[in-house]
Amino acid sequence: MNSKVFLALKEASKIDSMDETIEDMKLITQAYVKIIQSIYDSKPELKEGEVFIETLSIKIFLTTRSILELINGINVSITDNHDKIKLLDFPSINILTRSIIEAFLTLEYLFYNELEETEKLFRLHIYRFSGYKARQDFFEKRQNLAKHVTEKLDTEIEEMENLLNKIESSVYYKDLKQQHLWKLDKFGLPRLKSWAELLDKSTLKTNIFSTSYKLYSNYAHSEFISLIQMNSVGALNKDSNDNNLAVMNSLKTIKMINCVSIILLKDKFECTSKAFENLEDELKEIIKFWKEFATE
């Protein structure tokens, strides 16, 4: 039996074990943060906007760790005698899992793709412009702002003008639809495709992630389907069948997303490649296995 087959059988044997999956996730996130740290330590030369690869990677790491903390459950007193029950907040776990998927899709949309550098920059400029515009709109009707806030907002107006000039002078600007142009002017336009479109075009296997993403979105928007699931008997009680199933689905999703993210980050910079190679051999193989399993 070759090593790949052995590893596949070993991973399959623990795929429904919450304890083993959690232990794997702790090792994987430790590896992820080491690789992210290598960027801080080595300070590679970054192209415009590539600093946000760090930021989005950290977001995936931190959100994953938050999910691992939530899995411990919450003790709730239900009587004056301080009797307690342990609840598991799987709705929040679902919402955080959705956030991890979207952080990954943003990394792909902006950085982990085969587009020409000019098109990547066009996407980045629109993304940044939209963020600044949202902050300007947020403070627009507020009065008596602190001096440093006003100064920051004024600086960002200049940056917005600079970004808009770059956007409008890009060869890709003429391809924007009228709806895109309207949104860009009115609200900002963080991305040119919907989340569903980004997921469909992603390197992630659509048949693995699409249904789960729709479910997690229902929780984020408090749609009725999420309330039905929360109302089932014992659903919020820690270790009930309902929430164990929900948690395992989330854990499998974030395990794959973290592994794919690690490999893509590893391939982006020399320092991250070296940091990955310094990991234990078995852990490297586990990360590679789940990356291959999760992607086209």
Side-chain angles (χ1 to χ4, degrees), residues 133-196:
K133 184 169 181 55
R135 182 144 64 179
Q136 293 289 328
D137 292 346
F138 179 79
F139 285 104
E140 183 180 14
K141 295 182 180 179
R142 296 183 174 230
Q143 298 177 347
N144 302 318
L145 296 174
K147 181 180 178 181
H148 72 278
V149 175
T150 302
E151 291 174 348
K152 181 68 174 175
L153 291 171
D154 289 343
T155 301
E156 289 180 358
I157 289 174
E158 295 177 12
E159 181 63 13
M160 286 174 63
E161 292 173 352
N162 182 42
L163 287 168
L164 190 58
N165 286 334
K166 291 179 179 179
I167 291 167
E168 292 177 344
S169 62
S170 170
V171 295
Y172 303 100
Y173 181 74
K174 62 180 174 56
D175 295 327
L176 292 182
K177 299 176 182 178
Q178 191 61 40
Q179 183 182 16
H180 288 152
L181 295 171
W182 178 79
K183 286 184 177 179
L184 181 66
D185 178 64
K186 187 73 175 176
F187 308 111
L189 184 66
R191 55 199 63 81
L192 301 175
K193 300 179 184 295
S194 68
W195 291 118

Side-chain angles (χ1 to χ4, degrees), residues 154-295:
D154 289 343
T155 301
E156 289 180 358
I157 289 174
E158 295 177 12
E159 181 63 13
M160 286 174 63
E161 292 173 352
N162 182 42
L163 287 168
L164 190 58
N165 286 334
K166 291 179 179 179
I167 291 167
E168 292 177 344
S169 62
S170 170
V171 295
Y172 303 100
Y173 181 74
K174 62 180 174 56
D175 295 327
L176 292 182
K177 299 176 182 178
Q178 191 61 40
Q179 183 182 16
H180 288 152
L181 295 171
W182 178 79
K183 286 184 177 179
L184 181 66
D185 178 64
K186 187 73 175 176
F187 308 111
L189 184 66
R191 55 199 63 81
L192 301 175
K193 300 179 184 295
S194 68
W195 291 118
E197 290 175 306
L198 291 180
L199 183 56
D200 184 56
K201 300 297 183 182
S202 171
T203 57
L204 299 175
K205 288 178 180 174
T206 306
N207 64 320
I208 294 178
F209 292 93
S210 179
T211 301
S212 295
Y213 178 74
K214 290 175 184 176
L215 175 65
Y216 300 144
S217 297
N218 284 324
Y219 275 87
H221 300 146
S222 294
E223 301 292 357
F224 187 58
I225 185 174
S226 66
L227 304 187
I228 295 172
Q229 292 180 311
M230 289 176 65
N231 271 337
S232 61
V233 177
L236 294 174
N237 293 335
K238 182 170 169 55
D239 296 326
S240 72
N241 288 334
D242 284 341
N243 69 38
N244 278 349
L245 178 61
V247 169
M248 280 306 301
N249 286 338
S250 173
L251 284 174
K252 292 172 187 177
T253 298
I254 64 174
K255 184 175 186 177
M256 289 184 282
I257 293 285
N258 274 265
C259 290
V260 176
S261 302
I262 287 171
I263 295 299
L264 291 173
L265 183 57
K266 183 259 301 184
D267 292 339
K268 190 67 179 176
F269 306 109
E270 183 178 352
C271 61
T272 51
S273 178
K274 289 180 179 178
F276 180 82
E277 293 306 321
N278 287 333
L279 300 176
E280 293 184 2
D281 288 342
E282 183 177 358
L283 180 56
K284 286 190 290 187
E285 292 307 313
I286 289 172
I287 293 170
K288 290 176 183 177
F289 171 83
W290 285 109
K291 184 269 180 185
E292 292 300 319
F293 185 86
T295 56

